[in-house]
Amino acid sequence: MTNDNVPVKVKAVVWYKVVSPEKAIIQVRLYDDAIRQTALTTLRSVIGQHSLDELMKEQEKLSQMLVRSSTRSQKPGRGCDRVQIKDVEIPQSMQRAMAQEAEHIAKRRRIIKAEAEYEAAMKLTEAASRMSQTPMAIELRRMQMLTEVGAEQNTMTIVMMPPEFVNAASALAKLADRSTTPP
């Protein structure tokens, strides 16, 4: 059980060495079982001090903590060399809940992004409307854009069109709209 009350199933491997065979056999009854029980108790203790998030992200750090804790509680004749957390399983219901939460967060992000794009489009429309009323504003914006592009180190090629061409194109578009609209 993690400190945020999530039940987990942890698979770990413990490497140990028998330092003093005489002590291991004489002073400890079933030393293999004692090692297993010590590792299990240490694993529960260390995992109980950390959240699920920490357990998933910092397995190497927790493995080192397990080695230190096992070394402190070692019995005569043996020592812990290394512990490696191999797998962490969480209950299916928790996995489903986490997946639903992730979907909810992704949906919320899409909504926020769509709202921002809508707001940007509205601002651009408003700016275009205002600029179309003042031809000098369009020229100032074009000059500002040139300054921005020139400030960056890039290989962009810019072809400037005189405003008369833009106005002529606009007039042609209006004329084309009138000719396609039924009387």
Side-chain angles (χ1 to χ4, degrees):
M1 187 74 70
T2 62
N3 75 348
D4 49 357
N5 293 323
V6 178
V8 292
K9 185 184 219 179
V10 178
K11 294 179 184 174
V13 178
V14 177
W15 284 268
Y16 68 91
K17 61 184 170 195
V18 177
V19 179
S20 174
E22 301 85 28
K23 287 182 181 179
I25 293 173
I26 295 170
Q27 292 183 8
V28 181
R29 184 169 181 237
L30 301 173
Y31 73 90
D32 281 342
D33 192 45
I35 290 169
R36 203 172 296 109
Q37 291 301 320
T38 301
L40 183 62
T41 303
T42 305
L43 185 64
R44 284 182 180 154
S45 172
V46 169
I47 288 175
Q49 297 171 13
H50 300 286
S51 67
L52 177 64
D53 192 45
E54 292 169 334
L55 181 60
M56 300 301 275
K57 290 180 181 175
E58 301 176 8
Q59 290 184 9
E60 186 61 37
K61 178 183 164 189
L62 292 175
S63 291
Q64 292 169 0
M65 289 176 71
L66 286 165
V67 169
R68 286 193 299 274
S69 295
S70 293
T71 303
R72 274 184 260 143
S73 64
Q74 65 182 308
K75 300 292 182 202
R78 64 192 202 306
C80 180
D81 279 347
R82 191 170 133 206
V83 177
Q84 181 180 355
I85 297 174
K86 292 185 63 94
D87 189 27
V88 178
E89 295 177 19
I90 57 176
Q92 287 290 338
S93 60
M94 181 67 78
Q95 290 178 15
R96 282 192 296 276
M98 291 170 77
Q100 287 175 342
E101 179 68 20
E103 283 179 31
H104 176 71
I105 289 170
K107 183 178 178 182
R108 184 72 189 131
R109 283 185 184 147
R110 285 192 301 270
I111 289 170
I112 290 170
K113 183 179 178 185
E115 288 172 350
E117 287 176 358
Y118 176 78
E119 189 174 323
M122 294 304 290
K123 294 286 184 183
L124 284 171
T125 303
E126 182 182 331
S129 174
R130 286 190 180 181
M131 290 175 98
S132 68
Q133 294 170 2
T134 311
M136 190 48 107
I138 294 173
E139 283 303 309
L140 289 172
R141 178 63 186 123
R142 286 169 46 144
M143 288 182 200
Q144 181 185 14
M145 184 180 63
L146 281 173
T147 304
E148 289 172 4
V149 170
E152 299 173 6
Q153 292 183 352
N154 58 36
T155 57
M156 187 180 297
T157 302
I158 298 175
V159 178
M160 294 294 290
M161 302 277 292
E164 291 79 21
F165 285 177
V166 175
N167 293 339
S170 178
L172 283 174
K174 286 179 185 176
L175 184 62
D177 281 346
R178 274 193 239 138
S179 66
T180 58
T181 308

